[in-house]
């Protein structure tokens, strides 16, 4: 069973995805202790804001690369999108219960975005690699313009990247620029993984650290859904201990 799994998966992609997980957890932990619970006062320095606001693009691009290697992107996309809806329901519940302000609500987060990108992939699947790259670059550029210069009071357009004044969310990943990152990743997949085989078949896939991060990468969706309740539970325990 294990040997079959290693033959059918490209270990370095799982490993890279797993390596990204600690950074994601750190970003959410800092959000919890600084913004949500206020345990510490830390005005975000510019370098951290840049890191936080763009780190997710690596996940999205890696997802785009991976989509070129498998099948059933629509089915997988629906599963991921439903995971995003679970996050929406939880954050709405936190707001309704008075545990956090309205800004905690996830209207269109990373899982919504990744799921949508996977569902839309068949529309772009026939494009050659260069066309994927050009389309991706254009969407990224449009997304950056929307992020800094365009505000429209139409909440229904939030998934596309059209924000309105006063909009706040603990996790917001609009399709522009993120569909662009996804397509750029797909272009890389077409370029470097045309044969759908590891680029480093004799690499350190059996190294214990590599195997650990590869395992995390294979279960990144479950880790994403599980780590946030764990962090919230730890923070709630700290709150209770402070009251004792």
């Amino acid at each position: 069973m294990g040997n079959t799994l290693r033959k059918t998966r490209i270990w370095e992609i799982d490993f890279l995805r797993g390596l990204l997980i600690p950074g994601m957890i750190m970003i959410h932990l800092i959000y919890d202790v600084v913004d949500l619970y206020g345990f510490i006062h830390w005005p975000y320095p510019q370098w951290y804001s840049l890191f936080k606001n763009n780190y997710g693009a690596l996940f999205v691009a890696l997802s785009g690369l991976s989509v070129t290697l498998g099948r059933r992107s629509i089915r997988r996309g629906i599963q991921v999108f439903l995971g995003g809806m679970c996050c929406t329901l939880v954050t709405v519940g936190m707001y309704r219960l008075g545990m956090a302000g309205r800004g905690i609500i996830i209207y269109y987060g990373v899982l919504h975005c990744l799921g949508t990108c996977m569902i839309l992939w068949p529309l772009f699947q026939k494009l050659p690699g260069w066309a994927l790259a050009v389309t991706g670059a254009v969407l990224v550029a449009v997304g950056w313009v929307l992020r800094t210069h365009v505000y429209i009071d139409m909440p229904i357009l939030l998934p596309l990247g059209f924000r309105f004044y006063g909009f706040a969310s603990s996790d917001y990943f609009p399709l522009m620029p993120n569909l662009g990152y996804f397509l750029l990743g797909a272009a890389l997949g077409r370029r470097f993984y045309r044969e759908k085989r590891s680029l480093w078949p004799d690499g350190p896939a059996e190294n214990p650290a590599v195997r650990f991060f590869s395992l995390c990468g294979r279960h990144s969706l479950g880790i994403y859904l599980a780590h946030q309740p764990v962090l919230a539970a730890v923070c709630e325990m700290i709150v209770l201990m402070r009251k004792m």
Side-chain angles (χ1 to χ4, degrees):
M1 178 92 174
N3 291 334
T4 301
L5 180 61
R6 283 192 291 273
K7 289 179 181 178
T8 57
R9 297 190 69 97
I10 298 175
W11 71 268
E12 65 263 31
I13 295 178
D14 286 332
F15 176 66
L16 289 174
R17 189 182 294 110
L19 278 181
L20 292 175
I21 289 175
M24 171 195 69
I25 294 175
M26 183 196 73
I27 289 171
H28 292 157
L29 175 62
I30 291 175
Y31 174 80
D32 286 349
V33 301
V34 175
D35 296 312
L36 188 56
Y37 287 89
F39 293 149
I40 62 174
H41 176 69
W42 187 48
Y44 292 159
Q46 186 174 3
W47 67 264
Y48 177 73
S49 296
L50 184 65
F51 169 79
K52 176 177 69 72
N53 293 334
N54 296 284
Y55 189 77
L58 299 175
F59 268 107
V60 177
L62 193 55
S63 177
L65 189 154
S66 301
V67 80
T68 65
L69 305 173
R71 305 174 183 175
R72 301 176 180 174
S73 66
I74 295 179
R75 176 180 175 182
R76 177 64 173 168
I78 291 173
Q79 293 173 342
V80 173
F81 188 87
L82 290 177
M85 292 306 299
C86 289
C87 294
T88 296
L89 292 175
V90 170
T91 53
V92 169
M94 293 176 67
Y95 168 65
R96 293 296 184 184
L97 292 173
M99 298 173 62
R102 193 178 187 88
I104 190 67
I105 298 177
I106 298 175
Y107 300 93
Y108 198 82
V110 63
L111 296 185
H112 300 85
C113 177
L114 287 177
T116 303
C117 289
M118 294 176 190
I119 293 170
L120 293 176
W121 169 241
L123 299 178
F124 301 94
Q125 195 170 8
K126 301 297 184 181
L127 293 178
W130 68 266
L132 289 174
V134 170
T135 304
V138 169
L139 291 176
V140 169
V142 172
W144 277 92
V145 172
L146 294 180
R147 178 185 291 185
T148 55
H149 294 94
V150 179
Y151 293 88
I152 297 179
D153 191 16
M154 294 183 64
I156 195 173
L157 297 179
L158 277 175
L160 295 178
F162 294 93
R163 295 177 298 166
F164 52 86
Y165 284 107
F167 170 73
S169 176
S170 60
D171 186 29
Y172 179 50
F173 276 74
L175 290 174
M176 294 185 288
N178 290 289
L179 179 57
Y181 293 130
F182 185 87
L183 294 179
L184 289 174
L188 291 175
R190 287 274 182 83
R191 174 66 177 84
F192 294 104
Y193 288 96
R194 188 179 303 274
E195 303 298 325
K196 299 186 179 182
R197 293 184 299 186
S198 172
L199 300 180
W200 198 4
D202 297 323
E206 297 303 320
N207 178 279
V210 173
R211 291 181 65 181
F212 171 76
F213 282 108
S214 296
L215 179 64
C216 292
R218 289 197 294 271
H219 299 284
S220 56
L221 176 59
I223 293 173
Y224 184 90
L225 292 174
H227 86 278
Q228 291 176 309
V230 170
L231 292 179
V234 171
C235 290
E236 288 293 333
M237 289 178 61
I238 294 175
V239 171
L240 291 175
M241 291 175 62
R242 285 185 166 187
K243 291 181 178 179
M244 294 176 61

